[in-house]
Amino acid sequence: MTHAITVENVSFAYDDQPVLKDVSLSIETGEFLGLIGPNGSGKTTLLKIMLGLQTPDAGTVELFGTPATEFTEGTRLGYVSQHSTDADAVMPVTVREVVKMGRYAHAGLWRLTADDHDAIEDALDTVGIADLADRRISRLSGGQRQRTYIARALASQADLLALDEPTVGVDADSVERFYDLLGELNDDGISIVLIEHDIGVVTEHADTIACLNGELYEHCETEAFLDTDALERAFSSARVVQGNAVAGGD
Amino acid sequence: MAAGATRSHRELTALVVGVPLVLLACAGFIFWVFPPLYNLFWGATCGVVDTWLVCSGFLQRGFTAGVLIGITAPVVGAYLVNRQMALIGEALAHTAFGGVAIGLFVGAAVPRFDYPLVFALIAAAVGALGMQYVAVKTDGYADVPIAIMLTGGFAVGIAVISYGVVFSATVESYLFGDILFVPFENVQLMVGLTLIVAGTVALTHKQLLFITFDREAARLARINVWFYDTLLIVLTALVVVAAMQILGAILVAGMLVIPVAAAMQLTSSFNHGMLLSVLLGQVAIFGGIFLSYYWNVATGAMIILVAIAVYIGAVIGDPLG
């Protein structure tokens, strides 16, 4: 099986507001896909459907050859979501405890092993928050918090990393280091799906780009993509049909 | 639920073989090991500090029950509070009270079935599963179903009591709690419940914590969120029934919530917070029992008041603030 994700004819609506219409694309193992599109174009929804967190109204999704909602190997997936959780503002939990959660799928009901702890410490070092490890997460800045979630995804040592605007609020230096790191992980064969507002970042790092606005405008290699007018079409259609056909659901 | 079953074959086998063995060991401990240990401990304590406070059988049973509640309630409460589910315990306690009423009614008619706490356990478990069903149907533990259950459980209790012939003193002891009303079988029942709660939490702490902190990431890691949610609410029902004898149906939720709230003020780590909340729970139990003895006021009320005093102290002296 050479595909990490296969999406076929997927449609999705929140109540009667269509968000995705007949989207098909596939991501090969080891591919670095940049997913771009205007606000409310359904990028996050598509990502969640790809990961089996939401069920599409129509169409099929496969993760590593298994239907996404039946896929049980949690250890192979890593995810950094767009918004931090509600709990991190109030709950007493340290940075290290959050990063540890990245190993829970590996440990199951058993204790964390020495390997698990190594992965946790490595992840903390990699994103440069080892010195914050015992701090309460609610006392951190937005960027530090986001780096914690990135570390958690890294600690999971997943085969597929799904990142939804992971660097919002993170300072420029760390952003650069983070994308270099993503490049290295990708070189090691890890598949990556990245949603990112900064189209420059995407074109610099991604192998392929998919441009989405309710429907898929283009999915091809980055260089070829830059020669198409997909961006223009996606973003201009967003202006034209605002509040019309394809709405809601970021 | 998208996640589906996650446990590997190895874990499933361990569970299938392990759970009956562990339950058997628990039963053995409760019936054969615990009673002599209990007598040995209190015999020795009474020999050292010869006051009525430790030598009366009533208070010995009360203290033992209190210590067990001070362990289990904050442990389960730590997850509940951080899931914004603090009042679930209260709703389940009121349902359990309905069960007690039915149990007293049945027990009065058929003396062989005179175990009101068992009825409370069944009622609370049914209530817990009903709550879980409503939560799945309506997308979360909203306060409306909680309010319905809270009043509904009480309504059933009062209806049954008013219909049957039950001593009001007995009813009051379940409503307001009575430390002098804990028979030794109930202490044994509480040891069993404590072992079940502690064992389950020890085994599933990672999953419960992950879901508490970040539901979506837990689903992504293919943790069976529905299963662990149900597990937590059933554990809550067990704790509530255990704690009801001393604190009473009305005050039970306090023990689930207040020590945890105080501990959360004082620490940054969830695991430390959980240990600290057990410690503060013990402070409340011991402080409450002693003060109620010296001031001659109701024990359940005093335990909660001491817990609140600890909480206020934690808020004022908050080192993290």
Side-chain angles (χ1 to χ4, degrees):
Chain A
M1 196 58 57
T2 57
H3 286 133
I5 302 178
T6 318
V7 175
E8 267 171 40
N9 308 321
V10 159
S11 298
F12 185 85
Y14 286 109
D15 297 323
D16 51 1
Q17 294 274 44
V19 177
L20 295 172
K21 276 196 301 189
D22 204 22
V23 173
S24 300
L25 82 161
S26 54
I27 299 160
E28 284 172 33
T29 359
E31 185 173 330
F32 188 151
L33 170 76
L35 196 54
I36 56 178
N39 282 335
S41 57
K43 304 184 293 285
T44 299
T45 306
L46 178 61
L47 190 66
K48 285 186 179 175
I49 288 174
M50 284 173 172
L51 297 171
L53 294 175
Q54 269 175 349
T55 314
D57 297 335
T60 56
V61 188
E62 288 187 354
L63 269 173
F64 299 105
T66 312
T69 49
E70 291 163 32
F71 185 79
T72 56
E73 294 168 87
T75 54
R76 299 185 69 180
L77 310 174
Y79 179 38
V80 178
S81 70
Q82 190 177 13
H83 308 285
S84 39
T85 70
D86 298 334
D88 69 6
V90 285
M91 190 167 156
V93 59
T94 62
V95 168
R96 182 178 274 111
E97 283 176 326
V98 173
V99 177
K100 271 186 186 173
M101 292 174 194
R103 298 304 294 178
Y104 284 178
H106 296 255
L109 294 177
W110 312 99
R111 293 178 68 87
L112 295 180
T113 63
D115 285 350
D116 292 326
H117 287 290
D118 288 346
I120 291 158
E121 299 306 321
D122 282 351
L124 285 167
D125 281 336
T126 306
V127 300
I129 52 169
D131 53 332
L132 301 175
D134 296 319
R135 293 269 297 275
R136 184 170 172 153
I137 193 161
S138 59
R139 315 267 158 161
L140 300 184
S141 72
Q144 289 168 329
R145 225 179 268 188
Q146 202 58 20
R147 278 198 271 165
T148 307
Y149 292 114
I150 293 169
R152 182 175 71 184
L154 294 179
S156 68
Q157 296 177 334
D159 298 332
L160 171 68
L161 276 180
L163 310 152
D164 192 350
E165 299 188 7
T167 56
V168 173
V170 182
D171 61 281
D173 268 3
S174 309
V175 169
E176 202 165 312
R177 263 191 292 145
F178 172 65
Y179 281 113
D180 288 344
L181 173 71
L182 275 192
E184 286 167 30
L185 291 170
N186 184 232
D187 291 342
D188 292 343
I190 291 172
S191 316
I192 295 175
V193 182
L194 170 70
I195 295 179
E196 177 60 71
H197 254 103
D198 186 341
I199 292 168
V201 166
V202 178
T203 50
E204 189 179 336
H205 293 92
D207 302 329
T208 62
I209 292 185
C211 186
L212 191 73
N213 189 13
E215 45 202 316
L216 188 67
Y217 279 93
E218 194 72 54
H219 173 214
C220 58
E221 286 184 13
T222 305
E223 272 175 39
F225 179 85
L226 292 173
D227 295 334
T228 70
D229 60 347
L231 264 181
E232 201 181 325
R233 274 160 42 218
F235 282 83
S236 64
S237 80
R239 278 194 294 276
V240 174
V241 297
Q242 206 125 56
N244 198 344
V246 182
D250 198 15
Chain B
M1 214 51 23
T6 58
R7 275 147 296 151
S8 67
H9 192 66
R10 189 171 65 129
E11 285 180 349
L12 212 60
T13 320
L15 279 181
V16 168
V17 179
V19 168
L21 278 180
V22 169
L23 286 180
L24 216 61
C26 281
F29 178 82
I30 294 162
F31 289 112
W32 291 292
V33 184
F34 174 70
L37 269 182
Y38 176 89
N39 289 329
L40 201 69
F41 175 78
W42 285 111
T45 314
C46 183
V48 178
V49 216
D50 186 15
T51 78
W52 184 72
L53 207 52
V54 291
C55 291
S56 115
F58 291 119
L59 281 174
Q60 289 177 351
R61 292 194 289 274
F63 266 118
T64 313
V67 168
L68 296 175
I69 293 166
I71 296 170
T72 49
V75 164
V76 173
Y79 305 110
L80 296 177
V81 167
N82 286 303
R83 291 177 183 209
Q84 319 293 324
M85 284 165 60
L87 280 177
I88 291 264
E90 192 65 37
L92 291 177
H94 286 209
T95 318
F97 178 74
V100 165
I102 295 172
L104 290 172
F105 181 74
V106 172
V110 192
R112 208 149 43 94
F113 294 134
D114 192 13
Y115 297 107
L117 271 193
V118 174
F119 284 87
L121 208 54
I122 295 169
V126 170
L129 295 175
M131 204 79 152
Q132 182 59 20
Y133 175 76
V134 171
V136 170
K137 275 275 180 194
T138 61
D139 248 16
Y141 302 92
D143 51 351
V144 172
I146 290 179
I148 293 174
M149 197 138 135
L150 211 134
T151 49
F154 244 54
V156 169
I158 294 167
V160 172
I161 289 166
S162 67
Y163 181 76
V165 194
V166 179
F167 291 115
S168 62
T170 320
V171 173
E172 264 181 36
S173 77
Y174 285 102
L175 208 48
F176 302 121
D178 189 346
I179 195 158
L180 301 179
F181 191 71
V182 185
F184 190 70
E185 302 94 80
N186 286 4
V187 177
Q188 284 179 304
L189 179 68
M190 288 177 60
V191 173
L193 294 179
T194 307
L195 289 175
I196 292 175
V197 170
T200 311
V201 167
L203 202 63
T204 60
H205 169 68
K206 292 193 292 293
Q207 285 76 9
L208 292 174
L209 170 62
F210 201 172
I211 297 168
T212 302
F213 180 71
D214 191 340
R215 230 180 152 68
E216 191 159 67
R219 284 182 60 205
L220 182 91
R222 298 308 192 243
I223 286 171
N224 191 337
V225 172
W226 177 86
F227 171 80
Y228 287 102
D229 281 351
T230 310
L231 187 71
L232 180 64
I233 200 165
V234 169
L235 287 181
T236 309
L238 296 184
V239 170
V240 159
V241 170
M244 197 165 67
Q245 307 167 80
I246 288 198
L247 293 167
I250 297 180
L251 296 179
V252 149
M255 205 58 199
L256 288 167
V257 173
I258 305 165
V260 177
M264 277 171 56
Q265 292 293 323
L266 299 174
T267 172
S268 295
S269 147
F270 185 85
N271 293 346
H272 293 173
M274 197 179 232
L275 292 176
L276 187 62
S277 64
V278 169
L279 198 73
L280 297 180
Q282 299 298 337
V283 169
I285 294 280
F286 279 90
I289 293 179
F290 283 127
L291 288 179
S292 78
Y293 172 71
Y294 287 117
W295 293 348
N296 201 20
V297 289
T299 317
M302 211 58 229
I303 290 173
I304 298 300
L305 290 176
V306 171
I308 291 176
V310 169
Y311 171 69
I312 291 172
V315 171
I316 292 172
D318 182 0
L320 302 172

